[in-house]
Amino acid sequence: MIGKCTDRLISVLDTRTQEREFDVRETLKRYSMDVIWNCAFGFDIDIQQKDDDLDYFLKSEDVFKKTESLNIFSFISCKKKEINKNGRVIG
């Protein structure tokens, strides 16, 4: 699965580097989402090569935007429980 997505990435990079300047960050985000959709959900959406069908890409990107500020400290603090120095949950 990852190999197929990586082959697509190589193909996309070959095409885009010959044609024009391109956004490397968006290309790698599409690669990452392609791998995640393939491995985690079993859907081969080929998001790397489809510029016209952005539904999966935009919805997936929205999920990552909502969680990018989440870290372990904010996760723990939102649980409203205290953790003692031994790692046990109190309350």
Side-chain angles (χ1 to χ4, degrees), residues 17-57:
T17 55
Q18 292 175 6
E19 294 176 358
R20 62 188 186 281
E21 292 183 7
F22 65 98
D23 186 357
V24 175
R25 183 176 181 206
E26 181 165 322
T27 302
L28 294 177
K29 280 197 290 188
R30 287 175 175 263
Y31 167 72
S32 299
M33 288 182 198
D34 204 14
V35 170
I36 290 168
W37 277 97
N38 270 275
C39 294
F41 305 114
F43 291 111
D44 187 11
I45 59 173
D46 191 11
I47 202 167
Q48 297 181 67
Q49 298 176 347
K50 293 183 180 178
D51 289 331
D52 57 337
D53 185 17
L54 296 176
D55 285 342
Y56 285 114
F57 179 71

